[in-house]
C-alpha cells in the first residue's frame, strides 16, 4: 500500500456547514424515518417481495441501502394487502416480524398484537423485538443490546479463533419530525490467517477502521455509528451521520459498498413518481500507516445516483461520483445536487478522480430478477479497438441474476453474479484521490484487476431456520513488491509504480486464483437472537513465479443478537 506523504495541514471542519444546513432546513421537517441496520434479516424479505411484486413501484428503493424503515413497512404492508393470501407460511412470518421490529411505523391501533405475553420486570421486553421501548405522543424510543460471540477452529492453526463483540443501540423519533440512531460495539477478534494477511497489508481490519493489537495476533476496535434524519420536504429524506452506504442489487457493488469502514456523510434521497434520486456527500480518510497519535488527513467524495422506472418492470440507474483532496476545505462546487460532477472537475483542472456508471434491474416473470452495473473510470474507444491493453482503459462490469422460490420450492432463493474490473480502475495519479477510505476500497473489496464469480443458495425451510451456501471464485493479477499491475488501487497509477502504457489485462502480474466456499446454518432461538454454525474452505494459488499455494478451513459456532454477521468473503 502507498501511504500519502503530504504533510497534514490544519483541517477546517467543513462538516459544520452540513450541520448548519441540517438545522436550517430541519425547521420545516414534515416526517422522518430511520434505517434498517447492516445485515438486518428484513433485507432478505424486501428483496423477495420486490421480485414477487415485479411491477410494483412501492419497491423503487431497492438499489439504495440501508433501507428506510418507513418505506420498508409501507411496502410490505402494501404487498400484504394485495397478495397476502399467496404468502408462504415463512413469508407471512417474516412480514409479521418486520412489523414487530418497527412498531414506531406501525399504526398505533395495531401495535398491541405484537406485545409479549410475559414482559420482564413489567418494563422490559414488552415486545419480543426490543429490550426497552416507548411509544407515546411525540416520542418513540427503542433500546437494544448487541452481541456477536463466536469461536472457531482453523485447520493447521493451533490457536482458538474468536469474535467477541458487544454493545448497545438506540433509535427513535421526536415529534414525528426528527429521527435518530446511535450504536456502539466494543470488539476483540482473532481471525483466520488469510484475514490477518489482509490486515498486515492494509493496516485495517475488514469492515472497520482504526484498531489496536490484541494478545499478539488479535485485534481490538470500536464500531460506532449514528445519524439524525428528517424530511426536508414531502418527498425528500435528509440524513446526516456516521455509518455505511451501499448502491446496487448485488452481493458486491462497483459503485459504493458497505464492506469498508464507516464514514461521515450527508445524504439527500428524493423519491417521487418513477424516480429515486440520491445525493451523498462524504468525508473520508486517506491511506495512513498508523504510526503515532496524529490527525489523519481528510479527503472528500460527492456521489449521486438516479433511478428511473422505464417500465413497470425495468429500472435504469445513472451514477456519478468524484473523490478529491483539499488541504483545508470541501470544494463547494460539488455541493450542487443536479450538476454533472465531471464538468466541475474539468473547471478545476481535471485534477480529481471522477467516475460514471450505469445500472439496470429487470424484474422478469417466473420470480427472476436480472441486474448489472457498468462503471467507467477512464475510457478511450480507439485504444479499446487496438486491443493492446492500454493502462487507462479503466472500467468494471457486473452481471447478476436472482431466482426466488426456485423450481417451485418456497423460500429457496438462488443468485449468480459475475464481477470484472480492469487494472488501475479506481486508482489515481496520486495516492490521495483514489477511490478508497481508511485503507480499504470504497467499492469492491478486491480493488481492481480481477474477474470474479459468486453463487449463493439461500433456503428458509421454516420460520426460524436459515441455510446459506456460498461459492466464490476469482482470478486477480496482483502487484509485486516493486511493480504495480493495477490491482492495488492505493498505488499512484504512474511512474515509478506503473512502468509502461500497454500490456495490462485482467490477470496481468502475479496471477492468483482463489476459491472460497462457505455454509451457514442459522436458528433464531429468540427474536433477533441467532445460534449459528458456519463452515468455510479457502484455497489460494499463485500461478506465476514464485508459485505458492495456501489452503485453510474454518469451523465456527456462534451466538448473535441484534448485530450483523462479520464475514470475510475475499
Amino acid at each position: 500500500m502507498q501511504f500519502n506523504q503530504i504533510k497534514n495541514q490544519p483541517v477546517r471542519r467543513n462538516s459544520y456547514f452540513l450541520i448548519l444546513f441540517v438545522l436550517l432546513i430541519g425547521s420545516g421537517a414534515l416526517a422522518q424515518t430511520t434505517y434498517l441496520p447492516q445485515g438486518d434479516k428484513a433485507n432478505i424479505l424486501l428483496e423477495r417481495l420486490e421480485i414477487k411484486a415485479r411491477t410494483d413501484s412501492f419497491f423503487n428503493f431497492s438499489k439504495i441501502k440501508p433501507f428506510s424503515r418507513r418505506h420498508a413497512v409501507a411496502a410490505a404492508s402494501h404487498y400484504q394487502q394485495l397478495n397476502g393470501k399467496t404468502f408462504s407460511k415463512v413469508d407471512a412470518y417474516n412480514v409479521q416480524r418486520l412489523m414487530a421490529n418497527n412498531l414506531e411505523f406501525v399504526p398505533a391501533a395495531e401495535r398491541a398484537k405484537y406485545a409479549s405475553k410475559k414482559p420482564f420486570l413489567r418494563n422490559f421486553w414488552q415486545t419480543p423485538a426490543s429490550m426497552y421501548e416507548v411509544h407515546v405522543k411525540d416520542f418513540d424510543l427503542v433500546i437494544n443490546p448487541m452481541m456477536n460471540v463466536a469461536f472457531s477452529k482453523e485447520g493447521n492453526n493451533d490457536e482458538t479463533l474468536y469474535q467477541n463483540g458487544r454493545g448497545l443501540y438506540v433509535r427513535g423519533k421526536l415529534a414525528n419530525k426528527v429521527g435518530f440512531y446511535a450504536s456502539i460495539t466494543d470488539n476483540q477478534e482473532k481471525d483466520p490467517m488469510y484475514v490477518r494477511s489482509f490486515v498486515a497489508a492494509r493496516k485495517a481490519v475488514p469492515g472497520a477502521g482504526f484498531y489496536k493489537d490484541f494478545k499478539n495476533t488479535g485485534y481490538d476496535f470500536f464500531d460506532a455509528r449514528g445519524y439524525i434524519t428528517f424530511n426536508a420536504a414531502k418527498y425528500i429524506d435528509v440524513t446526516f451521520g456516521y455509518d455505511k452506504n451501499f448502491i446496487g442489487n448485488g452481493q458486491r457493488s462497483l459503485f459504493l459498498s458497505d464492506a469498508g469502514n464507516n464514514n461521515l456523510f450527508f445524504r439527500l434521497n428524493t423519491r417521487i413518481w418513477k424516480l429515486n434520486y440520491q445525493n451523498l456527500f462524504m468525508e473520508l480518510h486517506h491511506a495512513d500507516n498508523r504510526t503515532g497519535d496524529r490527525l489523519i488527513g481528510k479527503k472528500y467524495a460527492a456521489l449521486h445516483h438516479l433511478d428511473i422506472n422505464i417500465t413497470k418492470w425495468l429500472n435504469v440507474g445513472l451514477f456519478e461520483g468524484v473523490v478529491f483532496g483539499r488541504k483545508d476545505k470541501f470544494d463547494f462546487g460539488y455541493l450542487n445536487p443536479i450538476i454533472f460532477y465531471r464538468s466541475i472537475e474539468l473547471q478545476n483542472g481535471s485534477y480529481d478522480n471522477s467516475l460514471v456508471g450505469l445500472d439496470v434491474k429487470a424484474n422478469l416473470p417466473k420470480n427472476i430478477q436480472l441486474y448489472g452495473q457498468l462503471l467507467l473510470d477512464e475510457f478511450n474507444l480507439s485504444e479499446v479497438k487496438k486491443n493492446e491493453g492500454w493502462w487507462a482503459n479503466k472500467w468494471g462490469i457486473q452481471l447478476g441474476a436472482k431466482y426466488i422460490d426456485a423450481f417451485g420450492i418456497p423460500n429457496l432463493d438462488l443468485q449468480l453474479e459475475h464481477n470484472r474490473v480492469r487494472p488501475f480502475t479506481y486508482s489515481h495519479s496520486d495516492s490521495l484521490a483514489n477511490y478508497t477510505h481508511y485503507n480499504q476500497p470504497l467499492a469492491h473489496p478486491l480493488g481492481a484487476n480481477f474477474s470474479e464469480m459468486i453463487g449463493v443458495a439461500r433456503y428458509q425451510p421454516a420460520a426460524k431456520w436459515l441455510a446459506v451456501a456460498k461459492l466464490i471464485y476469482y482470478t486477480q493479477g496482483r502487484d509485486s513488491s516493486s511493480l504495480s499491475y493495477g490491482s492495488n488501487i492505493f498505488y499512484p497509477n504512474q511512474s515509478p509504480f506503473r512502468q509502461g502504457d500497454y500490456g495490462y489485462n485482467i490477470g496481468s502480474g502475479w496471477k492468483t486464483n482463489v476459491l472460497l466456499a462457505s455454509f451457514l446454518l442459522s436458528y433464531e432461538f429468540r427474536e433477533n437472537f441467532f445460534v449459528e454454525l458456519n463452515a468455510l474452505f479457502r484455497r489460494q494459488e499463485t500461478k506465476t513465479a514464485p508459485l505458492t499455494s495456501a489452503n485453510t478451513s474454518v469451523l465456527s459456532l456462534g451466538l448473535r443478537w441484534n448485530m450483523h454477521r462479520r464475514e470475510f468473503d475475499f
Side-chain angles (χ1 to χ4, degrees), residues 73-369:
V73 169
S77 297
H78 170 76
Y79 185 88
Q80 186 177 39
Q81 290 174 5
L82 297 179
N83 305 280
K85 293 181 180 180
T86 66
F87 272 165
S88 68
K89 292 182 179 180
V90 171
D91 282 338
Y93 172 84
N94 290 337
V95 170
Q96 195 263 354
R97 301 328 297 163
L98 170 66
M99 304 304 172
N101 279 273
N102 298 278
L103 284 185
E104 62 267 45
F105 301 100
V106 173
E110 300 179 13
R111 294 174 185 170
K113 63 183 180 182
Y114 302 106
S116 298
K117 295 180 179 179
K118 294 182 179 180
F120 181 69
L121 298 179
R122 296 184 61 182
N123 294 319
F124 296 94
W125 281 284
Q126 294 181 359
T127 71
S130 301
M131 181 184 73
Y132 184 78
E133 57 186 315
V134 176
H135 303 290
V136 296
K137 183 181 179 181
D138 291 338
F139 185 59
D140 292 89
L141 177 69
V142 176
I143 303 175
N144 264 319
M146 303 173 71
M147 181 185 73
N148 179 32
V149 177
F151 293 93
S152 307
K153 180 60 182 176
E154 181 178 23
N156 301 320
N157 187 349
D158 294 333
E159 297 178 287
T160 297
L161 310 184
Y162 55 83
Q163 295 179 4
N164 180 21
R166 62 273 181 211
L168 190 76
Y169 83 76
V170 178
R171 76 171 195 266
K173 60 181 181 178
L174 305 174
N176 203 33
K177 291 185 177 181
V178 178
F180 59 89
Y181 174 89
S183 71
I184 186 168
T185 59
D186 181 25
N187 304 270
Q188 294 81 40
E189 61 186 40
K190 186 169 290 188
D191 298 323
M193 297 302 295
Y194 78 96
V195 180
R196 299 185 203 180
S197 297
F198 177 100
V199 177
R202 296 288 175 83
K203 305 300 181 185
V205 173
F210 178 81
Y211 69 94
K212 295 182 179 180
D213 293 327
F214 181 75
K215 294 185 178 180
N216 298 321
T217 56
Y219 312 111
D220 187 345
F221 60 93
F222 283 105
D223 186 337
R225 312 183 189 199
Y227 56 80
I228 60 172
T229 180
F230 52 83
N231 277 86
K234 185 176 181 180
Y235 303 104
I236 303 176
D237 290 331
V238 180
T239 309
F240 175 71
Y242 189 77
D243 207 332
K244 302 182 182 185
N245 293 274
F246 186 97
I247 300 176
N249 291 102
Q251 291 283 313
R252 314 286 201 186
S253 174
L254 304 186
F255 297 166
L256 180 65
S257 172
D258 57 8
N261 191 23
N262 307 314
N263 61 77
L264 184 70
F265 69 90
F266 180 75
R267 183 176 65 219
L268 301 172
N269 196 87
T270 305
R271 184 168 181 258
I272 187 172
W273 188 53
K274 300 179 180 181
L275 306 177
N276 193 88
Y277 183 47
Q278 182 179 95
N279 297 96
L280 188 61
F281 308 98
M282 302 186 291
E283 182 180 79
L284 309 171
H285 292 84
H286 61 65
D288 184 77
N289 58 11
R290 299 178 63 250
T291 56
D293 293 330
R294 53 187 167 74
L295 184 66
I296 300 176
K298 301 293 192 299
K299 61 182 182 181
Y300 306 91
L303 314 177
H304 54 215
H305 182 268
L306 173 65
D307 276 336
I308 308 172
N309 277 352
I310 302 298
T311 69
K312 290 184 177 181
W313 56 270
L314 177 64
N315 179 281
V316 175
L318 302 174
F319 168 82
E320 188 178 25
V322 61
V323 177
F324 56 97
R326 302 291 186 266
K327 291 183 179 181
D328 60 353
K329 67 181 181 68
F330 189 97
D331 193 319
F332 287 86
Y334 290 124
L335 282 179
N336 190 323
I338 58 175
I339 200 169
F340 288 105
Y341 292 146
R342 179 63 174 165
S343 65
I344 300 177
E345 190 224 1
L346 291 173
Q347 294 293 328
N348 289 338
S350 195
Y351 184 75
D352 301 325
N353 187 11
S354 62
L355 306 94
V356 296
L358 172 73
D359 59 62
V360 178
K361 175 185 66 178
N363 293 323
L364 304 181
K366 307 296 183 182
N367 291 339
I368 293 174
Q369 181 185 84

Side-chain angles (χ1 to χ4, degrees), residues 291-488:
T291 56
D293 293 330
R294 53 187 167 74
L295 184 66
I296 300 176
K298 301 293 192 299
K299 61 182 182 181
Y300 306 91
L303 314 177
H304 54 215
H305 182 268
L306 173 65
D307 276 336
I308 308 172
N309 277 352
I310 302 298
T311 69
K312 290 184 177 181
W313 56 270
L314 177 64
N315 179 281
V316 175
L318 302 174
F319 168 82
E320 188 178 25
V322 61
V323 177
F324 56 97
R326 302 291 186 266
K327 291 183 179 181
D328 60 353
K329 67 181 181 68
F330 189 97
D331 193 319
F332 287 86
Y334 290 124
L335 282 179
N336 190 323
I338 58 175
I339 200 169
F340 288 105
Y341 292 146
R342 179 63 174 165
S343 65
I344 300 177
E345 190 224 1
L346 291 173
Q347 294 293 328
N348 289 338
S350 195
Y351 184 75
D352 301 325
N353 187 11
S354 62
L355 306 94
V356 296
L358 172 73
D359 59 62
V360 178
K361 175 185 66 178
N363 293 323
L364 304 181
K366 307 296 183 182
N367 291 339
I368 293 174
Q369 181 185 84
L370 303 181
Y371 63 91
Q373 293 181 331
L374 173 64
L375 177 85
L376 298 179
D377 190 343
E378 292 184 54
F379 188 79
N380 187 309
L381 184 59
S382 63
E383 292 289 352
V384 173
K385 291 179 178 179
K386 290 180 182 178
N387 195 29
E388 296 178 355
W390 187 49
W391 75 274
N393 274 335
K394 301 186 293 182
W395 51 263
I397 189 169
Q398 176 187 88
L399 298 171
K402 298 175 183 178
Y403 179 24
I404 68 168
D405 295 336
F407 312 112
I409 303 174
N411 300 95
L412 172 63
D413 303 336
L414 305 179
Q415 183 174 5
L416 184 66
E417 180 174 304
H418 174 59
N419 296 291
R420 188 176 186 88
V421 177
R422 283 267 308 162
F424 301 105
T425 305
Y426 303 116
S427 67
H428 198 52
S429 58
D430 61 34
S431 59
L432 179 60
N434 46 44
Y435 203 66
T436 67
H437 167 53
Y438 212 118
N439 298 356
Q440 297 183 66
L442 274 173
H444 198 293
L446 294 180
N449 194 5
F450 67 86
S451 177
E452 176 189 51
M453 290 296 300
I454 302 176
V456 181
R458 184 178 61 226
Y459 183 43
Q460 191 176 0
K464 294 180 178 294
W465 287 94
L466 177 67
V468 182
K470 187 179 299 183
L471 186 66
I472 300 174
Y473 179 81
Y474 66 86
T475 295
Q476 185 170 35
R478 297 188 174 178
D479 300 333
S480 69
S481 58
S482 58
L483 295 177
S484 172
Y485 293 94
S487 67
N488 188 340

